[in-house]
Amino acid sequence: QVQLVESGGGLVQAGESLRLSCAASGRTFAMAWFRQAPGKEREFVAAISWSGGTTAYADSVKGRFTISRDNAKNTVYLQMNSLKPEDTELYYCAKSYSLWPARPSDLKQYDYWGQGTQVNVSS
């Protein structure tokens, strides 16, 4: 059993930064961040392989967000810079059942999810 606990969300102004953290208990493999707005489908944000050597990003966040991990702390991070009002969503951490999923953006590649942390960006 794996538990994922996200933190670091909050309210910021457009252009500012936030860093999300996802602390995991138990063994983890590739990890990812997804986000979801009310009434919308959950969408992929970023993923990182177990070694940290491979990453993937959604086009909407490429160049602004950076995913990283510290396996000694069993924690994954999402550094979010130049935040925009459209980044306002509930952000979820997810664990994959493989070292690097064939399709990192596919929700079905992930077997454990956190409860989410809310990010609000005001204009």
Side-chain angles (χ1 to χ4, degrees):
Q1 190 77 8
V2 174
Q3 289 188 327
L4 305 175
V5 179
E6 303 97 332
S7 62
L11 173 63
V12 296
Q13 292 189 332
E16 293 185 340
S17 299
L18 277 175
R19 188 177 81 155
L20 306 184
S21 298
C22 171
S25 64
R27 188 176 183 183
T28 60
F29 296 103
M31 300 289 290
W33 289 95
F34 286 77
R35 64 186 184 184
Q36 187 171 21
K40 294 189 176 181
E41 293 186 352
R42 194 167 297 188
E43 64 176 6
F44 171 75
V45 176
I48 187 167
S49 64
W50 180 85
S51 69
T54 304
T55 58
Y57 295 92
D59 288 342
S60 58
V61 306
K62 207 170 289 185
R64 299 189 299 123
F65 291 12
T66 302
I67 189 171
S68 62
R69 67 188 299 160
D70 183 340
N71 286 343
K73 295 181 179 180
N74 223 10
T75 301
V76 177
Y77 305 98
L78 185 67
Q79 178 66 44
M80 306 186 296
N81 298 330
S82 303
L83 282 161
K84 304 175 182 179
E86 50 264 44
D87 294 318
T88 294
E89 303 208 28
L90 187 61
Y91 285 71
Y92 295 94
C93 176
K95 169 199 159 299
S96 176
Y97 50 76
S98 68
L99 296 178
W100 181 247
R103 290 182 297 170
S105 61
D106 185 356
L107 278 74
K108 299 184 187 68
Q109 303 286 328
Y110 301 90
D111 53 0
Y112 287 94
W113 296 81
Q115 294 299 307
T117 184
Q118 181 68 39
V119 172
N120 292 307
V121 184
S122 63
S123 57

